[in-house]
Amino acid sequence: MRPAVNLGLLFTELPWPERFDAAARAGFDRVEFVWPPLAPDEVTRLVRAAGLRVVLLNMDAGDLPAGERGYSNDPRLTARWRQRLREAVRLAVDLDCPLVNVLAGRRLPEFGVEEQLDCLADNLRWAADVAETAGRTLVVEPINDHDIPGYLLPRVADVLALLDRLGHDGVRVQLDTYHVAVMGDDVPAAVATAGARLGHVQIADFPGRHEPGTGVLDVDALLAALARVGYTGALALEYVPTGPSAASLAAVTARYPRLDPSPERIP
């Protein structure tokens, strides 16, 4: 389990092209990000120039500032969604990134919930085959429906039910500790429930979605739960810093040595 930095929430004091090098200068060699507002070839150039490894990227999920959180559940947008998924897989291959995150979307008043779940499942079955052919894995993230009202899959259990419906090993759960906690669920218990189907982990405290150590998240219990289920993926720091990003990351890694990216610091 190696730490990574989310460039969508950290280093936002910098323009996107400067965030990659800033993460490297902070001592991190692994990053993740939402679909960036940059050309794919520019992203690849910046990642390579900074000497980084990308552990996860999100496919296009619509207008995030406007509240959109994916559209894989919208039957009207299937052709667009599949084209964007192909683009995300292509970028993942170029970056040697193993995981592509797919957001389910918010409930649409024009369609019933089951119709939307069917659309999501059909898209994911198709996408999982595309990703598998390219040597990539898809993950699906539950997002709490307090911050994002109407999100289609607010709990880890909802994503696991979707995976049961899919029956495809190429799709796993992305677990964000903040979203789990907002829903009132126990984080270590959610890890245990996901078990071998856990594909990626993101860490932020609750309440506030700030640095680990600012809320009720028990980081040691989280790490122990991950070890018990055999998780060996990234530990992505995806939180809203309460100060400058580099200083915030330094404080977090000083408090939690397992989140320090320096190999010699990891016990």
Side-chain angles (χ1 to χ4, degrees):
M1 294 186 286
R2 293 281 288 153
V5 175
N6 183 286
L7 299 182
L9 289 187
L10 285 138
F11 296 108
T12 58
E13 62 266 42
L14 299 173
W16 262 101
E18 297 179 23
R19 297 181 193 181
F20 301 91
D21 187 59
R25 284 188 282 108
F28 287 81
D29 61 0
R30 287 164 169 78
V31 296
E32 64 171 20
F33 42 82
V34 296
W35 189 255
L38 302 169
D41 59 346
E42 177 71 356
V43 174
T44 301
R45 184 187 70 79
L46 292 166
V47 166
R48 291 175 179 168
L52 297 172
R53 177 179 176 185
V54 180
V55 296
L56 172 136
L57 64 87
N58 281 24
M59 72 167 287
D60 172 57
D63 188 344
L64 297 180
E68 294 182 5
R69 290 297 184 275
Y71 47 94
S72 51
N73 61 322
D74 191 335
R76 300 165 297 189
L77 300 177
T78 293
R80 171 187 164 191
W81 186 86
R82 295 188 178 190
Q83 174 60 32
R84 298 296 276 164
L85 183 282
R86 285 191 184 278
E87 292 170 8
V89 170
R90 190 176 306 122
L91 179 58
V93 170
D94 290 344
L95 294 171
D96 195 23
C97 170
L99 302 174
V100 175
N101 183 27
V102 175
L103 299 188
R106 300 171 85 155
R107 293 181 181 179
L108 304 167
E110 302 92 336
F111 303 97
V113 171
E114 281 303 311
E115 187 175 2
Q116 293 175 63
L117 288 172
D118 285 342
C119 179
L120 172 60
D122 287 344
N123 277 331
L124 282 173
R125 287 191 196 95
W126 173 88
D129 287 338
V130 172
E132 187 174 61
T133 299
R136 311 298 119 176
T137 299
L138 303 181
V139 291
V140 178
E141 179 181 11
I143 295 178
N144 81 82
D145 58 8
H146 297 272
D147 294 343
I148 306 297
Y151 191 73
L152 190 60
L153 304 173
R155 284 192 156 91
V156 170
D158 297 319
V159 176
L160 292 174
L162 173 68
L163 299 191
D164 289 340
R165 180 187 294 222
L166 290 176
H168 197 300
D169 291 338
V171 187
R172 297 182 182 178
V173 179
Q174 176 170 314
L175 187 150
D176 183 316
T177 63
Y178 171 75
H179 290 303
V180 172
V182 171
M183 295 303 296
D185 295 331
D186 180 79
V187 173
V191 168
T193 300
R197 293 192 284 181
L198 187 60
H200 188 66
V201 174
Q202 295 172 323
I203 301 174
D205 218 323
F206 171 80
R209 203 176 189 177
H210 297 306
E211 295 90 342
T214 58
V216 300
L217 177 66
D218 187 333
V219 174
D220 292 332
L222 167 66
L223 296 176
L226 292 170
R228 282 194 295 272
V229 300
Y231 179 75
T232 58
L235 302 170
L237 295 167
E238 192 204 25
Y239 65 82
V240 179
T242 55
S245 295
S248 169
L249 287 166
V252 168
T253 56
R255 180 168 185 169
Y256 301 107
R258 278 298 285 117
L259 300 179
D260 191 304
S262 304
E264 65 272 16
R265 293 282 298 278
I266 297 176

